[in-house]
Structures are given as structure tokens and as C-alpha cells.
Amino acid sequence: MTPGPGPMTTGTSPTSAFFTDAVTLTPAPPEHFDLAFTAVTQPCPWPKAYGGDLVAAAAAAAMRSVTDTKTLHSMHSYFLRPADIGAQVHYEVEVLRDGRGYSTRQVRGYQNGKPLYVCLANFAAGEAGGTFHAEFAEVVPDPEDLPSSAAYLQERSGGSMTEESKAYWSAGRSFDMRHLPGPVYLTVEGRRLSQQAVWVRPFDRLRTVEGLTDAQRDLAALAYVCDYTILEPVLRVLGLAWADPGLVTASLDHAMWFHRSGPVGDWLLYVQEAVAADAGRGLGTGRFFTRDHRHLATVVQEGMIRPA
């Protein structure tokens, strides 16, 4: 995760434009593979760019390389080096396979002449078959009954939290996020549970992204927002908070499966669980559900977790 402080709102209202800016690609001459694009990483108050910028931009690059009606159904990623904030990343797309039912792409992100991100992305034409999706069993409060990050942080301070990080958590991540149980920004409230859920919704209507259909943009939106909180159940069970002085985290590898389309512009429940933590690494899983319990996507991510 990452960058130097930048404006967190457009005018006086929080905006989802940081996400759509992150996945707005410019075609570029390929240097290594078949197609290439550039994208600019977005502001954040950490030393290096947010990992979801890279995943979402790579998803957009892969989708722009598929010219038939196949839909992105999975991505498998590694984060190799941190990315600079507010700087171009050069994404190279290799066309590995185009079959009748499935297509596969490799995407590599380069900055300062070095690879910093790599993924494999697979696309499916879709076919008739059975339908099943997991349910979440718990009855959870509606998002309207929970405080936003901005409301939660308004009268709070402490740890390593700065005005810049407070503004970023409150309004700089393109999505309104409402935690169950409470957030782990400053402290872990209550028991050290290995599960949590986060209601997420764009701050405003998602803008059109050149080169992507709205359905493709919505898939990129899931890839973008998933990285913000996927390691939080691991932090929670370890009793760690984001603002603990000296805490360092970084995404290591990431996998995501897109099961079905759904309304990313409305509230989604992101149900998460810590699976393992040891040797300075933690593994978390997450599932995105619509308000009517349709399971849209599944995420698995391992990250480095280095307490002070």
C-alpha cells in the first residue's frame, strides 16, 4: 500500500473518481509482449502506491486485449516491488491463448525499468450448467445503520494516524466502507475475531472508463476495492491496528474469481476471514455478496505483516 498525500475529494464531496482514474489506460508501444498500456497510480498517504491500483489496472489491460465476448473469470497475481505514487506504470499484455471457450493473458507491470507486478488472467465464453452459490448465514445490520469511516474517525485520533491518513481512510479510497464489527484503524475493539464483514459502495456513480464496457469496469472495481481490507481479519486476530506505530504491511500474492455479474454501484457485503498467520505473513479470504445474497466474487490474498 502507499503514496504521498493528495486531494481526497472533488469539490466538497467524496468521489469514486480515484478508482476510475486508476483504470483509465493509455495505449503504448509494446516493448516485450503483444499489447501495452500505461496507467497512473493514485494518491494515498503511505510511502508507495495502493496494490489495488495495480490489480485493477492489470485487469483493465487484460480485458482490453480480449476482442470477443468472453468475460474475465479469474486472476492470479504477484506483487514484486512497490510502485511509486502518481507515476506511470507500463502494463505489457501477452496473448497466451485464444480458444473457443477460454482465453488466457499474462500481464506485467513495469516501473523504472523493472517489473513490479505480474498476473495471469483467464476469460470464459460461458456455457449452460448448474448454478450454486454459497450463502452467508449471519444476519447483519444494514449499511445505513452503521457508521461510515468518516463518521467513525471524526472525533478519534491516536497512534501513527495523521491528518492525511485520516482523510484517506475517510474519503480517499473511492468507496464508502462500513465495518462489522468496528474498524481496526486505531484499535481492535472487542474480541480478536478471525472474521469481519465490510459493506462497500462507490461514493458516487461510477464514471465511464474509455476502452471498457460498464460491466468490465465493474469487474475492475471489485479487483480494486478488495485489497483495502482483505488483511484486516488477520490484523484483528493478531490484535493489530493500522495506526500501530511501526506496523508495516504489504500485499504478496492475490487470487480472485468472478462468479457472476452484479450491481457494483449498490451496497455489497464483503465477508472476510483470517485463514493463517505465521512467519511474518497472513492469509485472508473474502467473498462479495449483493444485498439479495448473490455471491459475485471470491478473493484470497497473502500479505506481509510486520509489527514494530
Side-chain angles (χ1 to χ4, degrees):
M1 308 203 169
T2 14
M8 294 298 147
T9 59
T10 296
T12 58
S13 301
T15 175
S16 62
F18 295 107
F19 154 66
T20 49
D21 287 349
V23 295
T24 297
L25 307 181
T26 300
E31 299 174 5
H32 305 281
F33 298 123
D34 300 298
L35 295 166
F37 304 90
T38 61
V40 177
T41 54
Q42 298 302 296
C44 73
W46 322 125
K48 294 295 177 180
Y50 167 56
D53 268 23
L54 306 181
V55 180
M63 287 188 284
R64 287 184 62 166
S65 76
V66 176
T67 57
D68 55 22
T69 59
K70 296 188 188 76
T71 301
L72 178 66
H73 76 87
S74 68
M75 292 182 70
H76 300 266
S77 306
Y78 281 90
F79 301 87
L80 309 178
R81 293 178 174 87
D84 294 335
I85 299 161
Q88 279 191 352
V89 177
H90 182 84
Y91 293 93
E92 293 266 349
V93 183
E94 182 180 14
V95 177
L96 294 178
R97 177 177 182 266
D98 275 321
R100 186 166 58 182
Y102 293 88
S103 292
T104 306
R105 301 291 188 263
Q106 179 184 217
V107 184
R108 292 188 186 183
Y110 296 85
Q111 197 176 72
N112 302 318
K114 296 180 179 179
L116 50 78
Y117 170 87
V118 62
C119 83
L120 289 174
N122 217 46
F123 295 78
E127 55 191 279
T131 297
F132 168 80
H133 64 84
E135 291 279 352
F136 60 90
E138 300 83 0
V139 175
V140 300
D142 291 332
E144 295 84 359
D145 296 329
L146 296 170
S148 65
S149 295
Y152 177 86
L153 290 167
Q154 185 174 8
E155 302 298 329
R156 289 178 166 88
S157 62
S160 65
M161 186 174 71
T162 63
E163 287 303 312
E164 290 78 15
S165 60
K166 185 174 183 177
Y168 184 67
W169 286 331
S170 298
R173 300 186 290 179
S174 293
F175 287 78
D176 191 344
M177 302 184 195
R178 306 188 178 198
H179 283 71
L180 298 163
V184 293
Y185 298 128
L186 299 172
T187 186
V188 177
E189 299 178 359
R191 295 185 297 127
R192 295 185 179 184
L193 301 173
S194 61
Q195 300 90 22
Q196 73 169 23
V198 185
W199 284 105
V200 299
R201 184 179 68 175
F203 280 125
D204 54 12
R205 184 173 181 175
L206 292 178
R207 293 149 182 80
T208 298
V209 176
E210 185 177 355
L212 299 180
T213 66
D214 287 352
Q216 290 173 326
R217 175 206 60 200
D218 288 354
L219 291 178
L222 292 178
Y224 177 87
V225 74
C226 72
D227 188 31
Y228 278 122
T229 57
I230 187 63
L231 293 180
E232 287 187 350
V234 182
L235 296 181
R236 188 180 296 278
V237 79
L238 295 176
L240 300 172
W242 288 118
D244 284 354
L247 175 67
V248 179
T249 67
S251 303
L252 296 175
D253 58 284
H254 174 282
M256 192 165 189
W257 294 264
F258 303 91
H259 309 303
R260 52 186 59 83
S261 61
V264 174
D266 198 0
W267 286 109
L268 299 176
L269 187 66
Y270 190 15
V271 179
Q272 303 165 337
E273 183 174 7
V275 176
D278 206 351
R281 301 187 309 277
L283 184 73
T285 65
R287 294 177 291 161
F288 284 99
F289 293 92
T290 64
R291 292 191 79 160
D292 61 358
H293 293 207
R294 296 178 65 237
H295 181 194
L296 300 187
T298 299
V299 185
V300 179
Q301 182 163 304
E302 187 177 44
M304 181 192 77
I305 298 177
R306 184 179 294 160

